[in-house]
């Protein structure tokens, strides 16, 4: 089972906080961040942490069924 990561380029302001927090999962690519890989093994807390700290809430983490699980409330 895997989780799916996405970054909305329309929301991302390129702060780089996600790449700093979880460089294995996110990389800055020009003005915006993107996931290193769209699919990651599930239960990777670093993905949720990065989604939580994104100041623009540009990161979405979805579970294997497509439910949005990050950012957390
Ligand atoms: S933390 Fe959010 S706003 Fe900053 S680079 Fe990552 S996705 Fe973009």
């Amino acid at each position: 089972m895997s989780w799916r990561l996405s970054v909305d380029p329309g929301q991302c302001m390129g702060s780089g906080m996600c790449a700093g927090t979880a460089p294995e999962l996110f990389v800055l690519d020009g003005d915006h961040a993107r996931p290193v890989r769209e699919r990651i093994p599930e239960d990777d807390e670093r993905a949720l942490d990065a989604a939580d700290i994104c100041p623009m809430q540009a990161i979405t983490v979805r579970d294997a069924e497509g439910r949005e699980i990050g950012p957390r409330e």
Side-chain angles (χ1 to χ4, degrees):
M1 302 293 268
S2 61
W3 285 357
R4 183 172 289 197
L5 305 179
S6 61
V7 174
D8 180 348
Q11 301 264 39
C12 173
M13 63 175 189
S15 70
M17 291 172 67
C18 53
T21 299
E24 307 84 355
L25 302 180
F26 297 95
V27 61
L28 263 185
D29 189 1
D31 291 340
H32 302 110
R34 63 172 173 79
V36 174
R37 288 177 302 280
E38 187 182 343
R39 289 180 180 276
I40 62 169
E42 65 181 356
D43 295 330
D44 190 336
E45 281 287 316
R46 296 171 303 174
L48 296 175
D49 291 343
D52 289 348
I53 63 149
C54 173
M56 303 303 289
Q57 299 207 311
I59 297 171
T60 302
V61 185
R62 290 188 171 83
D63 68 11
E65 281 79 44
R67 285 184 298 249
E68 194 172 313
I69 55 174
R72 294 170 282 204
E73 295 293 319

